[in-house]
């Protein structure tokens, strides 16, 4: 996370890798930087196929996944709190325009011009030239204006994206993934029985709570492989795996590469 509140991340996607479901408390733009991708909402309710250069807006706390449409692909992701755009959260402007964005229950595809500005904002944040924070903020605002105009008057969609029980269970996993946690712990975080926990994960995400926990641990290991020089054994323990060998087996089964091969392909 950058000190100004805007963060960027480049992700390499492969069609052989299963969908990884996640959500953020911040708003996000995703732009297909190389090849085509599919952005899918939980429960298969909505999907966007984005060709290279196209983008999508993900509202805060929206459960979604991005996968390669074919072969491998690269996405650029920008995350930011809406409060960053309108500094005073009590101001009439913030209340007027943040409400419609927060009420969106699904992702919104970006117009060509908005997607171009989102990609420009990513480049500005990457290059970090003088006044880059102001320039990136202005570009992000221009994209949000386009979204607000496109969705003006739209009724909030009812759906599964804000399933608070699911969000509670996923939040618990995100906060405790490095620890030894059980199905009982995950279910308790959503105030449901273990049976209902299993049913909810299967219905909304198409996976089990334990498999989601493993996939989240693996996603965090990828972040550490890409952004740090930590030894693979240290990464395995930091992400909750019982041993480096267990970590390596799980990583290869999910991504098709060993952790060391994944790190080398980024060089």
């Amino acid at each position: 996370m950058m000190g100004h509140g805007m963060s960027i991340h480049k992700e390499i996607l492969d069609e052989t890798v299963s969908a990884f479901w996640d959500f953020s408390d911040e708003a996000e733009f995703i732009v297909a930087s190389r090849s085509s991708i599919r952005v899918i909402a939980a429960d298969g309710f909505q999907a966007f196929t984005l060709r290279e250069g196209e983008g999508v807006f993900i509202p805060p706390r929206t459960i979604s996944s991005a996968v390669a449409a074919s072969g491998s692909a690269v996405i650029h992701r920008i995350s930011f709190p809406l409060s960053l755009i309108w500094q005073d959260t009590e101001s009439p402007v913030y209340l007027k325009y943040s409400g419609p964005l927060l009420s969106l229950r699904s992702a919104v595809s970006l117009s060509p011009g908005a997607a171009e500005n989102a990609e420009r904002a990513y480049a500005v944040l990457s290059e970090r030239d003088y006044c880059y924070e102001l320039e990136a903020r202005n570009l992000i605002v221009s994209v949000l204006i386009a979204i607000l105009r496109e969705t003006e008057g739209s009724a909030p969609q009812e759906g599964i994206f804000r399933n608070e029980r699911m969000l509670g269970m996923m939040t618990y996993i995100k906060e405790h993934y490095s620890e030894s946690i059980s199905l009982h712990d995950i279910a308790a975080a959503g105030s449901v029985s273990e049976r209902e926990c299993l049913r909810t994960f299967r219905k909304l995400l198409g996976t089990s709570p334990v498999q989601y926990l493993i996939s989240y641990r693996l996603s965090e290991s990828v972040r550490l492989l890409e952004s740090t020089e930590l030894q693979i054994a240290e990464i395995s323990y930091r992400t909750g795996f019982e041993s480096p060998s267990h970590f390596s087996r799980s990583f290869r089964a999910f991504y098709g590469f060993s952790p060391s091969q994944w790190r080398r392909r980024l060089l």
Side-chain angles (χ1 to χ4, degrees), residues 27 29 57-60 62 80 82 85-86 94-106 108 140-141 143-149 151 162:
F29 297 143
F57 170 68
I58 310 291
T62 299
F80 57 93
L82 291 178
I85 307 306
W86 296 285
Y94 177 83
L95 297 174
K96 179 178 181 179
Y97 295 115
S98 65
L101 292 171
L102 291 170
S103 70
L104 292 171
R105 296 299 181 101
S106 62
V108 178
I140 288 173
V141 169
V143 179
L144 294 178
I145 289 172
I147 294 168
L148 286 164
R149 286 176 172 164
T151 58
R162 302 290 170 80

PDB file of all heavy atoms in Angstrom, residues 27 29 57-60 62 80 82 85-86 94-106 108 140-141 143-149 151 162:
ATOM      1  N   ALA A  27     -12.457   0.313  -3.128  1.00  0.00           N
ATOM      2  CA  ALA A  27     -12.902   0.227  -4.515  1.00  0.00           C
ATOM      3  C   ALA A  27     -11.719  -0.193  -5.387  1.00  0.00           C
ATOM      4  O   ALA A  27     -10.560   0.064  -5.040  1.00  0.00           O
ATOM      5  CB  ALA A  27     -13.449   1.575  -4.975  1.00  0.00           C
ATOM      6  N   PHE A  29     -10.239  -0.845  -9.640  1.00  0.00           N
ATOM      7  CA  PHE A  29     -10.304  -0.932 -11.097  1.00  0.00           C
ATOM      8  C   PHE A  29      -9.438  -2.112 -11.520  1.00  0.00           C
ATOM      9  O   PHE A  29      -8.330  -2.298 -11.003  1.00  0.00           O
ATOM     10  CB  PHE A  29      -9.754   0.326 -11.774  1.00  0.00           C
ATOM     11  CG  PHE A  29     -10.505   1.596 -11.480  1.00  0.00           C
ATOM     12  CD1 PHE A  29      -9.817   2.793 -11.323  1.00  0.00           C
ATOM     13  CD2 PHE A  29     -11.887   1.608 -11.379  1.00  0.00           C
ATOM     14  CE1 PHE A  29     -10.492   3.971 -11.055  1.00  0.00           C
ATOM     15  CE2 PHE A  29     -12.574   2.788 -11.112  1.00  0.00           C
ATOM     16  CZ  PHE A  29     -11.871   3.973 -10.948  1.00  0.00           C
ATOM     17  N   PHE A  57     -14.980  -1.867 -12.977  1.00  0.00           N
ATOM     18  CA  PHE A  57     -14.970  -1.286 -11.635  1.00  0.00           C
ATOM     19  C   PHE A  57     -15.563  -2.304 -10.675  1.00  0.00           C
ATOM     20  O   PHE A  57     -16.648  -2.834 -10.905  1.00  0.00           O
ATOM     21  CB  PHE A  57     -15.798   0.003 -11.607  1.00  0.00           C
ATOM     22  CG  PHE A  57     -16.045   0.551 -10.217  1.00  0.00           C
ATOM     23  CD1 PHE A  57     -15.008   1.057  -9.464  1.00  0.00           C
ATOM     24  CD2 PHE A  57     -17.323   0.565  -9.671  1.00  0.00           C
ATOM     25  CE1 PHE A  57     -15.223   1.574  -8.183  1.00  0.00           C
ATOM     26  CE2 PHE A  57     -17.566   1.088  -8.403  1.00  0.00           C
ATOM     27  CZ  PHE A  57     -16.504   1.587  -7.658  1.00  0.00           C
ATOM     28  N   ILE A  58     -14.840  -2.582  -9.591  1.00  0.00           N
ATOM     29  CA  ILE A  58     -15.315  -3.507  -8.563  1.00  0.00           C
ATOM     30  C   ILE A  58     -15.662  -2.692  -7.318  1.00  0.00           C
ATOM     31  O   ILE A  58     -14.772  -2.122  -6.686  1.00  0.00           O
ATOM     32  CB  ILE A  58     -14.252  -4.561  -8.201  1.00  0.00           C
ATOM     33  CG1 ILE A  58     -13.685  -5.235  -9.451  1.00  0.00           C
ATOM     34  CG2 ILE A  58     -14.825  -5.592  -7.235  1.00  0.00           C
ATOM     35  CD1 ILE A  58     -14.655  -6.120 -10.181  1.00  0.00           C
ATOM     36  N   PRO A  59     -16.954  -2.586  -6.952  1.00  0.00           N
ATOM     37  CA  PRO A  59     -17.309  -1.817  -5.746  1.00  0.00           C
ATOM     38  C   PRO A  59     -16.717  -2.455  -4.491  1.00  0.00           C
ATOM     39  O   PRO A  59     -16.379  -3.642  -4.486  1.00  0.00           O
ATOM     40  CB  PRO A  59     -18.843  -1.896  -5.738  1.00  0.00           C
ATOM     41  CG  PRO A  59     -19.232  -2.266  -7.127  1.00  0.00           C
ATOM     42  CD  PRO A  59     -18.128  -3.134  -7.637  1.00  0.00           C
ATOM     43  N   PRO A  60     -16.582  -1.680  -3.420  1.00  0.00           N
ATOM     44  CA  PRO A  60     -16.076  -2.239  -2.163  1.00  0.00           C
ATOM     45  C   PRO A  60     -16.923  -3.427  -1.698  1.00  0.00           C
ATOM     46  O   PRO A  60     -18.143  -3.455  -1.881  1.00  0.00           O
ATOM     47  CB  PRO A  60     -16.192  -1.065  -1.185  1.00  0.00           C
ATOM     48  CG  PRO A  60     -16.158   0.155  -2.048  1.00  0.00           C
ATOM     49  CD  PRO A  60     -16.863  -0.234  -3.311  1.00  0.00           C
ATOM     50  N   THR A  62     -17.227  -6.471  -2.743  1.00  0.00           N
ATOM     51  CA  THR A  62     -17.861  -7.280  -3.773  1.00  0.00           C
ATOM     52  C   THR A  62     -17.005  -8.519  -4.011  1.00  0.00           C
ATOM     53  O   THR A  62     -15.834  -8.408  -4.369  1.00  0.00           O
ATOM     54  CB  THR A  62     -18.002  -6.493  -5.087  1.00  0.00           C
ATOM     55  OG1 THR A  62     -18.823  -5.350  -4.863  1.00  0.00           O
ATOM     56  CG2 THR A  62     -18.646  -7.342  -6.169  1.00  0.00           C
ATOM     57  N   PHE A  80      -8.300   1.683  -4.005  1.00  0.00           N
ATOM     58  CA  PHE A  80      -8.308   2.990  -3.328  1.00  0.00           C
ATOM     59  C   PHE A  80      -9.581   3.124  -2.494  1.00  0.00           C
ATOM     60  O   PHE A  80     -10.641   2.627  -2.871  1.00  0.00           O
ATOM     61  CB  PHE A  80      -8.256   4.131  -4.369  1.00  0.00           C
ATOM     62  CG  PHE A  80      -9.374   4.074  -5.370  1.00  0.00           C
ATOM     63  CD1 PHE A  80     -10.556   4.781  -5.176  1.00  0.00           C
ATOM     64  CD2 PHE A  80      -9.260   3.286  -6.513  1.00  0.00           C
ATOM     65  CE1 PHE A  80     -11.598   4.711  -6.089  1.00  0.00           C
ATOM     66  CE2 PHE A  80     -10.301   3.215  -7.443  1.00  0.00           C
ATOM     67  CZ  PHE A  80     -11.464   3.931  -7.229  1.00  0.00           C
ATOM     68  N   LEU A  82     -12.759   5.195  -1.186  1.00  0.00           N
ATOM     69  CA  LEU A  82     -13.528   6.311  -1.731  1.00  0.00           C
ATOM     70  C   LEU A  82     -13.291   7.584  -0.921  1.00  0.00           C
ATOM     71  O   LEU A  82     -13.389   8.691  -1.458  1.00  0.00           O
ATOM     72  CB  LEU A  82     -15.016   5.966  -1.755  1.00  0.00           C
ATOM     73  CG  LEU A  82     -15.438   4.887  -2.755  1.00  0.00           C
ATOM     74  CD1 LEU A  82     -16.931   4.612  -2.627  1.00  0.00           C
ATOM     75  CD2 LEU A  82     -15.081   5.284  -4.184  1.00  0.00           C
ATOM     76  N   ILE A  85     -10.865  10.106  -2.381  1.00  0.00           N
ATOM     77  CA  ILE A  85     -11.297  10.971  -3.478  1.00  0.00           C
ATOM     78  C   ILE A  85     -12.017  12.194  -2.932  1.00  0.00           C
ATOM     79  O   ILE A  85     -11.800  13.317  -3.379  1.00  0.00           O
ATOM     80  CB  ILE A  85     -12.193  10.191  -4.447  1.00  0.00           C
ATOM     81  CG1 ILE A  85     -11.493   8.896  -4.901  1.00  0.00           C
ATOM     82  CG2 ILE A  85     -12.558  11.048  -5.648  1.00  0.00           C
ATOM     83  CD1 ILE A  85     -10.114   9.113  -5.497  1.00  0.00           C
ATOM     84  N   TRP A  86     -12.921  11.959  -1.969  1.00  0.00           N
ATOM     85  CA  TRP A  86     -13.611  13.066  -1.331  1.00  0.00           C
ATOM     86  C   TRP A  86     -13.142  13.106   0.119  1.00  0.00           C
ATOM     87  O   TRP A  86     -13.624  12.346   0.959  1.00  0.00           O
ATOM     88  CB  TRP A  86     -15.121  12.860  -1.419  1.00  0.00           C
ATOM     89  CG  TRP A  86     -15.616  12.880  -2.833  1.00  0.00           C
ATOM     90  CD1 TRP A  86     -15.764  13.963  -3.638  1.00  0.00           C
ATOM     91  CD2 TRP A  86     -16.005  11.743  -3.626  1.00  0.00           C
ATOM     92  NE1 TRP A  86     -16.230  13.586  -4.875  1.00  0.00           N
ATOM     93  CE2 TRP A  86     -16.390  12.237  -4.906  1.00  0.00           C
ATOM     94  CE3 TRP A  86     -16.080  10.378  -3.395  1.00  0.00           C
ATOM     95  CZ2 TRP A  86     -16.823  11.407  -5.919  1.00  0.00           C
ATOM     96  CZ3 TRP A  86     -16.516   9.540  -4.415  1.00  0.00           C
ATOM     97  CH2 TRP A  86     -16.880  10.051  -5.664  1.00  0.00           C
ATOM     98  N   TYR A  94     -19.431  14.304  -0.868  1.00  0.00           N
ATOM     99  CA  TYR A  94     -19.127  12.899  -0.573  1.00  0.00           C
ATOM    100  C   TYR A  94     -20.420  12.104  -0.402  1.00  0.00           C
ATOM    101  O   TYR A  94     -20.574  11.005  -0.963  1.00  0.00           O
ATOM    102  CB  TYR A  94     -18.285  12.791   0.700  1.00  0.00           C
ATOM    103  CG  TYR A  94     -18.000  11.358   1.099  1.00  0.00           C
ATOM    104  CD1 TYR A  94     -16.958  10.648   0.522  1.00  0.00           C
ATOM    105  CD2 TYR A  94     -18.798  10.702   2.039  1.00  0.00           C
ATOM    106  CE1 TYR A  94     -16.698   9.333   0.873  1.00  0.00           C
ATOM    107  CE2 TYR A  94     -18.552   9.383   2.393  1.00  0.00           C
ATOM    108  CZ  TYR A  94     -17.501   8.703   1.812  1.00  0.00           C
ATOM    109  OH  TYR A  94     -17.272   7.398   2.144  1.00  0.00           O
ATOM    110  N   LEU A  95     -21.348  12.645   0.372  1.00  0.00           N
ATOM    111  CA  LEU A  95     -22.597  11.926   0.625  1.00  0.00           C
ATOM    112  C   LEU A  95     -23.404  11.732  -0.654  1.00  0.00           C
ATOM    113  O   LEU A  95     -24.055  10.704  -0.846  1.00  0.00           O
ATOM    114  CB  LEU A  95     -23.420  12.688   1.674  1.00  0.00           C
ATOM    115  CG  LEU A  95     -22.778  12.808   3.061  1.00  0.00           C
ATOM    116  CD1 LEU A  95     -23.621  13.698   3.961  1.00  0.00           C
ATOM    117  CD2 LEU A  95     -22.588  11.437   3.685  1.00  0.00           C
ATOM    118  N   LYS A  96     -23.341  12.714  -1.543  1.00  0.00           N
ATOM    119  CA  LYS A  96     -24.114  12.638  -2.773  1.00  0.00           C
ATOM    120  C   LYS A  96     -23.579  11.595  -3.745  1.00  0.00           C
ATOM    121  O   LYS A  96     -24.349  10.868  -4.382  1.00  0.00           O
ATOM    122  CB  LYS A  96     -24.138  14.009  -3.459  1.00  0.00           C
ATOM    123  CG  LYS A  96     -24.914  14.023  -4.775  1.00  0.00           C
ATOM    124  CD  LYS A  96     -24.944  15.427  -5.373  1.00  0.00           C
ATOM    125  CE  LYS A  96     -25.730  15.456  -6.682  1.00  0.00           C
ATOM    126  NZ  LYS A  96     -25.780  16.829  -7.263  1.00  0.00           N
ATOM    127  N   TYR A  97     -22.263  11.491  -3.853  1.00  0.00           N
ATOM    128  CA  TYR A  97     -21.686  10.660  -4.895  1.00  0.00           C
ATOM    129  C   TYR A  97     -21.099   9.331  -4.406  1.00  0.00           C
ATOM    130  O   TYR A  97     -20.973   8.384  -5.191  1.00  0.00           O
ATOM    131  CB  TYR A  97     -20.615  11.436  -5.653  1.00  0.00           C
ATOM    132  CG  TYR A  97     -21.192  12.608  -6.410  1.00  0.00           C
ATOM    133  CD1 TYR A  97     -20.858  13.916  -6.073  1.00  0.00           C
ATOM    134  CD2 TYR A  97     -22.108  12.403  -7.442  1.00  0.00           C
ATOM    135  CE1 TYR A  97     -21.404  14.997  -6.759  1.00  0.00           C
ATOM    136  CE2 TYR A  97     -22.662  13.476  -8.117  1.00  0.00           C
ATOM    137  CZ  TYR A  97     -22.304  14.774  -7.781  1.00  0.00           C
ATOM    138  OH  TYR A  97     -22.856  15.830  -8.464  1.00  0.00           O
ATOM    139  N   SER A  98     -20.744   9.232  -3.132  1.00  0.00           N
ATOM    140  CA  SER A  98     -20.233   7.951  -2.647  1.00  0.00           C
ATOM    141  C   SER A  98     -21.373   6.952  -2.454  1.00  0.00           C
ATOM    142  O   SER A  98     -21.200   5.750  -2.665  1.00  0.00           O
ATOM    143  CB  SER A  98     -19.477   8.129  -1.332  1.00  0.00           C
ATOM    144  OG  SER A  98     -20.352   8.552  -0.297  1.00  0.00           O
ATOM    145  N   GLY A  99     -22.553   7.472  -2.074  1.00  0.00           N
ATOM    146  CA  GLY A  99     -23.705   6.599  -1.851  1.00  0.00           C
ATOM    147  C   GLY A  99     -24.033   5.724  -3.049  1.00  0.00           C
ATOM    148  O   GLY A  99     -24.149   4.496  -2.920  1.00  0.00           O
ATOM    149  N   PRO A 100     -24.199   6.308  -4.238  1.00  0.00           N
ATOM    150  CA  PRO A 100     -24.498   5.478  -5.418  1.00  0.00           C
ATOM    151  C   PRO A 100     -23.418   4.448  -5.721  1.00  0.00           C
ATOM    152  O   PRO A 100     -23.722   3.330  -6.157  1.00  0.00           O
ATOM    153  CB  PRO A 100     -24.606   6.519  -6.541  1.00  0.00           C
ATOM    154  CG  PRO A 100     -24.995   7.777  -5.861  1.00  0.00           C
ATOM    155  CD  PRO A 100     -24.286   7.740  -4.538  1.00  0.00           C
ATOM    156  N   LEU A 101     -22.145   4.793  -5.491  1.00  0.00           N
ATOM    157  CA  LEU A 101     -21.071   3.838  -5.757  1.00  0.00           C
ATOM    158  C   LEU A 101     -21.089   2.706  -4.740  1.00  0.00           C
ATOM    159  O   LEU A 101     -20.898   1.541  -5.092  1.00  0.00           O
ATOM    160  CB  LEU A 101     -19.717   4.554  -5.722  1.00  0.00           C
ATOM    161  CG  LEU A 101     -19.463   5.557  -6.853  1.00  0.00           C
ATOM    162  CD1 LEU A 101     -18.192   6.360  -6.571  1.00  0.00           C
ATOM    163  CD2 LEU A 101     -19.355   4.860  -8.203  1.00  0.00           C
ATOM    164  N   LEU A 102     -21.343   3.040  -3.476  1.00  0.00           N
ATOM    165  CA  LEU A 102     -21.376   2.023  -2.438  1.00  0.00           C
ATOM    166  C   LEU A 102     -22.605   1.129  -2.551  1.00  0.00           C
ATOM    167  O   LEU A 102     -22.596  -0.005  -2.065  1.00  0.00           O
ATOM    168  CB  LEU A 102     -21.333   2.680  -1.056  1.00  0.00           C
ATOM    169  CG  LEU A 102     -20.012   3.351  -0.683  1.00  0.00           C
ATOM    170  CD1 LEU A 102     -20.171   4.172   0.585  1.00  0.00           C
ATOM    171  CD2 LEU A 102     -18.918   2.307  -0.505  1.00  0.00           C
ATOM    172  N   SER A 103     -23.669   1.633  -3.174  1.00  0.00           N
ATOM    173  CA  SER A 103     -24.897   0.838  -3.298  1.00  0.00           C
ATOM    174  C   SER A 103     -24.853  -0.136  -4.468  1.00  0.00           C
ATOM    175  O   SER A 103     -25.725  -0.999  -4.589  1.00  0.00           O
ATOM    176  CB  SER A 103     -26.108   1.762  -3.454  1.00  0.00           C
ATOM    177  OG  SER A 103     -26.091   2.414  -4.717  1.00  0.00           O
ATOM    178  N   LEU A 104     -23.853  -0.009  -5.321  1.00  0.00           N
ATOM    179  CA  LEU A 104     -23.737  -0.950  -6.430  1.00  0.00           C
ATOM    180  C   LEU A 104     -23.513  -2.352  -5.888  1.00  0.00           C
ATOM    181  O   LEU A 104     -22.667  -2.573  -5.033  1.00  0.00           O
ATOM    182  CB  LEU A 104     -22.572  -0.548  -7.352  1.00  0.00           C
ATOM    183  CG  LEU A 104     -22.737   0.746  -8.145  1.00  0.00           C
ATOM    184  CD1 LEU A 104     -21.421   1.110  -8.824  1.00  0.00           C
ATOM    185  CD2 LEU A 104     -23.841   0.591  -9.190  1.00  0.00           C
ATOM    186  N   ARG A 105     -24.269  -3.315  -6.406  1.00  0.00           N
ATOM    187  CA  ARG A 105     -24.149  -4.687  -5.928  1.00  0.00           C
ATOM    188  C   ARG A 105     -23.391  -5.574  -6.909  1.00  0.00           C
ATOM    189  O   ARG A 105     -23.346  -6.785  -6.743  1.00  0.00           O
ATOM    190  CB  ARG A 105     -25.545  -5.270  -5.673  1.00  0.00           C
ATOM    191  CG  ARG A 105     -26.324  -4.577  -4.571  1.00  0.00           C
ATOM    192  CD  ARG A 105     -25.590  -4.691  -3.229  1.00  0.00           C
ATOM    193  NE  ARG A 105     -26.340  -4.059  -2.149  1.00  0.00           N
ATOM    194  CZ  ARG A 105     -27.076  -4.737  -1.272  1.00  0.00           C
ATOM    195  NH1 ARG A 105     -27.159  -6.041  -1.356  1.00  0.00           N
ATOM    196  NH2 ARG A 105     -27.707  -4.099  -0.311  1.00  0.00           N
ATOM    197  N   SER A 106     -22.835  -4.972  -7.933  1.00  0.00           N
ATOM    198  CA  SER A 106     -22.119  -5.784  -8.919  1.00  0.00           C
ATOM    199  C   SER A 106     -21.045  -4.940  -9.586  1.00  0.00           C
ATOM    200  O   SER A 106     -21.019  -3.717  -9.450  1.00  0.00           O
ATOM    201  CB  SER A 106     -23.089  -6.319  -9.984  1.00  0.00           C
ATOM    202  OG  SER A 106     -23.694  -5.253 -10.686  1.00  0.00           O
ATOM    203  N   VAL A 108     -19.022  -3.115 -12.655  1.00  0.00           N
ATOM    204  CA  VAL A 108     -19.498  -2.271 -13.761  1.00  0.00           C
ATOM    205  C   VAL A 108     -18.385  -2.193 -14.800  1.00  0.00           C
ATOM    206  O   VAL A 108     -17.253  -1.830 -14.484  1.00  0.00           O
ATOM    207  CB  VAL A 108     -19.849  -0.844 -13.263  1.00  0.00           C
ATOM    208  CG1 VAL A 108     -20.282   0.035 -14.437  1.00  0.00           C
ATOM    209  CG2 VAL A 108     -20.943  -0.905 -12.200  1.00  0.00           C
ATOM    210  N   ILE A 140      -8.488   8.948 -11.586  1.00  0.00           N
ATOM    211  CA  ILE A 140      -9.446   8.070 -10.910  1.00  0.00           C
ATOM    212  C   ILE A 140     -10.806   8.755 -10.795  1.00  0.00           C
ATOM    213  O   ILE A 140     -11.850   8.136 -11.028  1.00  0.00           O
ATOM    214  CB  ILE A 140      -8.904   7.664  -9.526  1.00  0.00           C
ATOM    215  CG1 ILE A 140      -7.742   6.686  -9.694  1.00  0.00           C
ATOM    216  CG2 ILE A 140     -10.002   7.040  -8.669  1.00  0.00           C
ATOM    217  CD1 ILE A 140      -7.029   6.348  -8.404  1.00  0.00           C
ATOM    218  N   VAL A 141     -10.807  10.033 -10.447  1.00  0.00           N
ATOM    219  CA  VAL A 141     -12.073  10.775 -10.367  1.00  0.00           C
ATOM    220  C   VAL A 141     -12.780  10.782 -11.715  1.00  0.00           C
ATOM    221  O   VAL A 141     -14.000  10.623 -11.794  1.00  0.00           O
ATOM    222  CB  VAL A 141     -11.826  12.218  -9.878  1.00  0.00           C
ATOM    223  CG1 VAL A 141     -13.071  13.068 -10.052  1.00  0.00           C
ATOM    224  CG2 VAL A 141     -11.397  12.214  -8.408  1.00  0.00           C
ATOM    225  N   VAL A 143     -12.737   8.533 -14.002  1.00  0.00           N
ATOM    226  CA  VAL A 143     -13.347   7.219 -14.213  1.00  0.00           C
ATOM    227  C   VAL A 143     -14.612   7.082 -13.372  1.00  0.00           C
ATOM    228  O   VAL A 143     -15.642   6.582 -13.852  1.00  0.00           O
ATOM    229  CB  VAL A 143     -12.348   6.092 -13.873  1.00  0.00           C
ATOM    230  CG1 VAL A 143     -13.000   4.726 -14.080  1.00  0.00           C
ATOM    231  CG2 VAL A 143     -11.094   6.210 -14.725  1.00  0.00           C
ATOM    232  N   LEU A 144     -14.561   7.534 -12.126  1.00  0.00           N
ATOM    233  CA  LEU A 144     -15.741   7.451 -11.262  1.00  0.00           C
ATOM    234  C   LEU A 144     -16.878   8.313 -11.792  1.00  0.00           C
ATOM    235  O   LEU A 144     -18.054   7.929 -11.700  1.00  0.00           O
ATOM    236  CB  LEU A 144     -15.367   7.875  -9.838  1.00  0.00           C
ATOM    237  CG  LEU A 144     -14.393   6.961  -9.095  1.00  0.00           C
ATOM    238  CD1 LEU A 144     -14.082   7.528  -7.710  1.00  0.00           C
ATOM    239  CD2 LEU A 144     -14.959   5.547  -8.969  1.00  0.00           C
ATOM    240  N   ILE A 145     -16.550   9.467 -12.358  1.00  0.00           N
ATOM    241  CA  ILE A 145     -17.592  10.317 -12.954  1.00  0.00           C
ATOM    242  C   ILE A 145     -18.282   9.563 -14.088  1.00  0.00           C
ATOM    243  O   ILE A 145     -19.513   9.592 -14.218  1.00  0.00           O
ATOM    244  CB  ILE A 145     -16.986  11.643 -13.455  1.00  0.00           C
ATOM    245  CG1 ILE A 145     -16.594  12.524 -12.271  1.00  0.00           C
ATOM    246  CG2 ILE A 145     -17.972  12.379 -14.359  1.00  0.00           C
ATOM    247  CD1 ILE A 145     -15.810  13.766 -12.660  1.00  0.00           C
ATOM    248  N   ALA A 146     -17.509   8.884 -14.923  1.00  0.00           N
ATOM    249  CA  ALA A 146     -18.088   8.119 -16.024  1.00  0.00           C
ATOM    250  C   ALA A 146     -19.006   7.022 -15.498  1.00  0.00           C
ATOM    251  O   ALA A 146     -20.088   6.773 -16.053  1.00  0.00           O
ATOM    252  CB  ALA A 146     -16.973   7.517 -16.882  1.00  0.00           C
ATOM    253  N   ILE A 147     -18.600   6.356 -14.412  1.00  0.00           N
ATOM    254  CA  ILE A 147     -19.430   5.296 -13.822  1.00  0.00           C
ATOM    255  C   ILE A 147     -20.714   5.877 -13.248  1.00  0.00           C
ATOM    256  O   ILE A 147     -21.813   5.334 -13.444  1.00  0.00           O
ATOM    257  CB  ILE A 147     -18.638   4.561 -12.724  1.00  0.00           C
ATOM    258  CG1 ILE A 147     -17.459   3.810 -13.336  1.00  0.00           C
ATOM    259  CG2 ILE A 147     -19.536   3.586 -11.964  1.00  0.00           C
ATOM    260  CD1 ILE A 147     -16.468   3.299 -12.314  1.00  0.00           C
ATOM    261  N   LEU A 148     -20.612   7.000 -12.528  1.00  0.00           N
ATOM    262  CA  LEU A 148     -21.795   7.626 -11.932  1.00  0.00           C
ATOM    263  C   LEU A 148     -22.793   8.049 -13.001  1.00  0.00           C
ATOM    264  O   LEU A 148     -24.006   7.875 -12.842  1.00  0.00           O
ATOM    265  CB  LEU A 148     -21.369   8.838 -11.096  1.00  0.00           C
ATOM    266  CG  LEU A 148     -20.687   8.516  -9.755  1.00  0.00           C
ATOM    267  CD1 LEU A 148     -19.969   9.740  -9.205  1.00  0.00           C
ATOM    268  CD2 LEU A 148     -21.718   8.008  -8.748  1.00  0.00           C
ATOM    269  N   ARG A 149     -22.305   8.598 -14.093  1.00  0.00           N
ATOM    270  CA  ARG A 149     -23.208   9.015 -15.175  1.00  0.00           C
ATOM    271  C   ARG A 149     -23.878   7.813 -15.827  1.00  0.00           C
ATOM    272  O   ARG A 149     -25.059   7.849 -16.175  1.00  0.00           O
ATOM    273  CB  ARG A 149     -22.436   9.835 -16.203  1.00  0.00           C
ATOM    274  CG  ARG A 149     -22.108  11.245 -15.712  1.00  0.00           C
ATOM    275  CD  ARG A 149     -21.263  12.011 -16.692  1.00  0.00           C
ATOM    276  NE  ARG A 149     -21.129  13.416 -16.290  1.00  0.00           N
ATOM    277  CZ  ARG A 149     -20.230  14.251 -16.769  1.00  0.00           C
ATOM    278  NH1 ARG A 149     -19.363  13.833 -17.690  1.00  0.00           N
ATOM    279  NH2 ARG A 149     -20.188  15.501 -16.349  1.00  0.00           N
ATOM    280  N   THR A 151     -24.511   4.878 -14.437  1.00  0.00           N
ATOM    281  CA  THR A 151     -25.403   4.145 -13.535  1.00  0.00           C
ATOM    282  C   THR A 151     -26.442   5.041 -12.876  1.00  0.00           C
ATOM    283  O   THR A 151     -27.200   4.577 -12.029  1.00  0.00           O
ATOM    284  CB  THR A 151     -24.581   3.436 -12.439  1.00  0.00           C
ATOM    285  OG1 THR A 151     -23.817   4.411 -11.706  1.00  0.00           O
ATOM    286  CG2 THR A 151     -23.632   2.413 -13.050  1.00  0.00           C
ATOM    287  N   ARG A 162     -23.129  -8.991  -1.301  1.00  0.00           N
ATOM    288  CA  ARG A 162     -22.945  -8.443   0.038  1.00  0.00           C
ATOM    289  C   ARG A 162     -23.435  -9.428   1.098  1.00  0.00           C
ATOM    290  O   ARG A 162     -23.962  -9.037   2.120  1.00  0.00           O
ATOM    291  CB  ARG A 162     -23.679  -7.111   0.148  1.00  0.00           C
ATOM    292  CG  ARG A 162     -23.225  -6.083  -0.871  1.00  0.00           C
ATOM    293  CD  ARG A 162     -21.812  -5.580  -0.592  1.00  0.00           C
ATOM    294  NE  ARG A 162     -21.333  -4.778  -1.701  1.00  0.00           N
ATOM    295  CZ  ARG A 162     -21.663  -3.501  -1.896  1.00  0.00           C
ATOM    296  NH1 ARG A 162     -22.482  -2.904  -1.071  1.00  0.00           N
ATOM    297  NH2 ARG A 162     -21.165  -2.840  -2.924  1.00  0.00           N
TER     298      ARG A 162
END
